[in-house]
């Protein structure tokens, strides 16, 4: 289950407003990401992942600033430096970008995180911490998909399109990691005020 268009609109409206009222750099960056919809934080994560040439999953201030600019974040250089320094808790001069993305996620109650983890585990049939089209077969039913019914798409195409909703718009690689799934649903969660509604929505969507 991806965010509905109504939820996506509400999230974007809230985030656009939050950009102007944010009191800290991390709140401002979070709002700018969510103003792109539920996939915004995950999209920024992918931008940094692509930049991580040596695969050490950490970035310095120069890479951090470039990544934010490449993603289209509107932030002055002193503000980026201040944000980097705030996040660099051990003063090492580099950020672990997984920790950075966790800090960027909108705050979520543990009950919501548990539901998101349950949904991921159900979809990740192979247990390798990645969701692929193969994982979705037998878990997500495409038989009622309009394009499957009219013969325009195969089951594989329907599943891949569904998987792409959780992937980053600029880098759809057909694989969704646990972090990407959590980053996506952190965005969805930000548009749902009620824990009870979020619980119902997740359980209905994933038959948890």
């Amino acid at each position: 289950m991806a965010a509905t268009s109504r939820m996506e609109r509400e999230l974007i409206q809230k985030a656009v407003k939050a950009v102007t009222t944010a009191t800290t750099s991390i709140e401002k960056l979070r709002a700018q990401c969510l103003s792109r919809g539920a996939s915004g934080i995950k999209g920024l994560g992918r931008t940094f992942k692509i930049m991580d040439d040596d695969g050490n999953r950490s970035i310095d201030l120069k890479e951090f600033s470039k990544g934010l600019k490449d993603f289209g974040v509107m932030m002055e250089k002193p503000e980026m430096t201040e944000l980097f320094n705030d996040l660099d808790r051990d003063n090492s001069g580099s950020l672990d970008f997984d920790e950075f993305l966790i800090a960027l996620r909108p705050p979520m109650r543990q009950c919501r995180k548990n539901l998101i983890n349950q949904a991921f585990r159900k979809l990740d049939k192979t247990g390798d911490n990645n969701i692929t089209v193969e994982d979705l077969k037998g878990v997500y039913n495409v038989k009622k998909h309009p394009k499957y019914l009219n013969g325009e798409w195969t089951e594989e195409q329907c599943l891949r399109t569904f998987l792409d909703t959780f992937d980053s718009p600029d880098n759809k690689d057909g694989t969704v990691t646990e972090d990407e799934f959590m980053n996506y649903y952190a965005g969805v969660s930000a548009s749902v005020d009620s824990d009870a509604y979020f619980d119902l929505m997740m359980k209905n969507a994933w038959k948890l």
Side-chain angles (χ1 to χ4, degrees), residues 61-92:
L61 176 58
K62 188 178 175 184
E63 290 168 325
F64 180 72
S65 303
K66 184 179 185 306
L68 294 185
K69 280 181 185 170
D70 287 353
F71 193 63
V73 170
M74 306 295 288
M75 200 177 266
E76 296 297 325
K77 195 171 181 180
E79 208 171 1
M80 287 185 187
T81 304
E82 182 191 346
L83 176 57
F84 182 89
N85 290 336
D86 285 347
L87 292 166
D88 181 19
R89 304 267 166 80
D90 59 359
N91 297 315
S92 64

Side-chain angles (χ1 to χ4, degrees), residues 28-53:
K28 186 176 178 181
L29 178 56
R30 181 185 296 137
Q32 286 198 50
C33 287
L34 293 178
S35 70
R36 300 181 181 213
S39 296
I41 290 173
K42 191 161 54 57
L44 180 59
R46 278 290 174 91
T47 299
F48 284 129
K49 203 171 183 179
I50 291 163
M51 288 175 57
D52 183 29
D53 294 331

Side-chain angles (χ1 to χ4, degrees), residues 52-169:
D52 183 29
D53 294 331
D54 58 4
N56 67 354
R57 302 187 73 76
S58 71
I59 45 174
D60 60 21
L61 176 58
K62 188 178 175 184
E63 290 168 325
F64 180 72
S65 303
K66 184 179 185 306
L68 294 185
K69 280 181 185 170
D70 287 353
F71 193 63
V73 170
M74 306 295 288
M75 200 177 266
E76 296 297 325
K77 195 171 181 180
E79 208 171 1
M80 287 185 187
T81 304
E82 182 191 346
L83 176 57
F84 182 89
N85 290 336
D86 285 347
L87 292 166
D88 181 19
R89 304 267 166 80
D90 59 359
N91 297 315
S92 64
S94 65
L95 289 182
D96 176 301
F97 62 67
D98 291 322
E99 287 178 6
F100 162 61
L101 291 174
I102 289 168
L104 193 57
R105 286 175 193 157
M108 267 193 301
R109 290 179 185 274
Q110 190 59 46
C111 60
R112 295 193 184 202
K113 291 179 184 176
N114 292 343
L115 285 164
I116 297 166
N117 285 329
Q118 279 180 48
F120 185 86
R121 294 279 161 261
K122 183 168 183 179
L123 290 171
D124 179 23
K125 285 197 303 186
T126 54
D128 64 353
N129 293 324
N130 291 299
I131 303 171
T132 63
V133 165
E134 286 304 312
D135 284 312
L136 291 178
K137 287 178 180 174
V139 179
Y140 179 68
N141 189 353
V142 305
K143 299 292 188 280
K144 292 180 183 175
H145 194 293
K147 293 199 175 184
Y148 181 80
L149 288 172
N150 70 16
E152 192 179 335
W153 284 1
T154 63
E155 181 188 20
E156 186 100 2
Q157 285 172 304
C158 292
L159 292 173
R160 178 60 194 266
T161 302
F162 174 73
L163 195 64
D164 283 349
T165 60
F166 301 97
D167 222 337
S168 304

Side-chain angles (χ1 to χ4, degrees), residues 2-28:
T4 64
S5 54
R6 183 178 66 83
M7 284 167 62
E8 193 86 337
R9 278 197 308 274
E10 286 176 4
L11 173 63
I12 290 168
Q13 285 166 3
K14 277 185 186 179
V16 168
K17 191 176 177 183
V19 171
T20 59
T21 58
T23 56
T24 65
S25 300
I26 192 81
E27 283 175 8
K28 186 176 178 181

